[in-house]
Amino acid sequence: MPESGPSSPVESPAPISVFLLDDHEVVRRGVHDLLDAEPDLTVVGEAGTVEQALVRIPALRPQVAVLDVRLPDGDGVSVCRELRSRMPELACLMLTSFDDEEALLDAVMAGASGYVLKQITGTDLVSAVRTVASGQSMLDPGATTRLMARIRGDAPKEEQAPGLPGLTDREREILILVSKGLTNREIGKQLFLAEKTIKNIVSRLLTKLGVERRVQAAVIASHALTPPSQRPTAAAAAAAAAAAESTDGPARR
């Protein structure tokens, strides 16, 4: 019986390649060190701005991109949407300090595989990276529960705006900005949300208020949500909203 030769060593799988996008260097360094300490993970690149990320990520072709939601020159959700259109195989894990259902919905619609808060433990973040790299989803349970409740239209009473029953605090906040004449783009920049998200919320607001135009919503907001001492005239609110409407176009388009 011939002797069997030496067994060939079993090759271990290549580590999961990860790219980090966050405008805070201390955060990037901490996450970098955390992930690189794991034998099955390797950080292949970093960026602090949207512009850098859109250049470096397609060049490096990582398996997972960990993206901060709020950035100085844009937002991580838009980066996710752009990258996924060019790299469908990329798994995007959104990392944010804010428990925001609207941003979560926007991230899911952009194709993100996961959405976690920066308060997450190091062990859970490592697990989240592995989860999205395997093709599964990883969503913060608290934000997801509230998001599903909001989609069903049963937002908790404590989250409903007192001036207009049935509106959430986020919807109230946006309605006040509409009454001040801000466009969807301007509102998005102020609240660190994508313009498309703001457009969807404004459209939902008009439906809830039973009106067709943001001009009408602005007049309602100027009386229902603004303190008397700060309340503009109905004509002033309507004029400001009309100017914004001419820029944004019909909200329900």
Side-chain angles (χ1 to χ4, degrees):
M1 182 175 179
E3 295 183 8
S4 59
S7 59
S8 47
V10 178
E11 293 186 8
S12 57
I16 298 166
S17 55
V18 183
F19 189 96
L20 307 178
L21 170 60
D22 196 296
D23 59 318
H24 294 98
E25 183 182 358
V26 172
V27 174
R28 287 202 314 273
R29 182 164 297 183
V31 176
H32 184 291
D33 293 346
L34 174 72
L35 298 182
D36 253 4
E38 299 296 321
D40 60 331
L41 303 176
T42 180
V43 177
V44 295
E46 301 179 12
T49 66
V50 169
E51 183 179 13
Q52 292 172 348
L54 292 178
V55 172
R56 296 175 185 174
I57 293 177
L60 293 169
R61 313 293 295 187
Q63 294 167 265
V64 177
V66 179
L67 309 174
D68 189 10
V69 171
R70 300 189 177 189
L71 297 160
D73 60 336
D75 63 272
V77 173
S78 298
V79 173
C80 174
R81 183 179 296 109
E82 172 66 21
L83 291 173
R84 290 273 302 167
S85 69
R86 295 155 60 181
M87 303 167 57
E89 72 283 0
L90 177 67
C92 294
L93 178 63
M94 312 308 298
L95 188 62
T96 179
S97 302
F98 304 91
D99 188 358
D100 190 326
E101 306 95 271
E102 302 294 349
L104 169 58
L105 176 59
D106 205 24
V108 171
M109 296 301 292
S113 300
Y115 185 100
V116 295
L117 302 180
K118 286 184 178 179
Q119 295 90 320
I120 191 172
T121 66
T123 301
D124 286 343
L125 179 58
V126 168
S127 176
V129 171
R130 290 178 178 138
T131 296
V132 299
S134 69
Q136 302 178 62
S137 296
M138 180 70 199
L139 299 177
D140 177 73
T144 304
T145 299
R146 285 188 295 279
L147 173 61
M148 295 308 297
R150 184 161 298 183
I151 291 174
R152 292 192 302 266
D154 56 351
K157 288 184 178 180
E158 62 270 18
E159 292 188 15
Q160 296 181 4
L164 287 171
L167 297 190
T168 64
D169 287 342
R170 174 65 86 188
E171 290 168 340
R172 175 190 181 191
E173 184 178 23
I174 290 175
L175 184 56
I176 291 174
L177 296 176
V178 166
S179 73
K180 293 180 179 180
L182 273 66
T183 65
N184 292 343
R185 182 182 295 261
E186 291 167 340
I187 295 173
K189 286 184 178 180
Q190 185 163 325
L191 300 182
F192 299 97
L193 292 173
E195 183 178 357
K196 184 177 180 181
T197 299
I198 300 300
K199 182 177 180 179
N200 291 339
I201 297 173
V202 170
S203 179
R204 187 167 69 235
L205 274 171
L206 298 185
T207 299
K208 285 187 175 184
L209 295 174
V211 297
E212 291 292 330
R213 300 179 59 193
R214 64 196 296 147
V215 173
Q216 297 166 303
V219 173
I220 294 173
S222 68
H223 289 274
L225 300 179
T226 308
S229 60
Q230 303 174 17
R231 186 175 295 167
T233 65
E245 189 174 76
S246 66
T247 299
D248 291 327
R252 297 187 182 181
R253 182 171 58 194

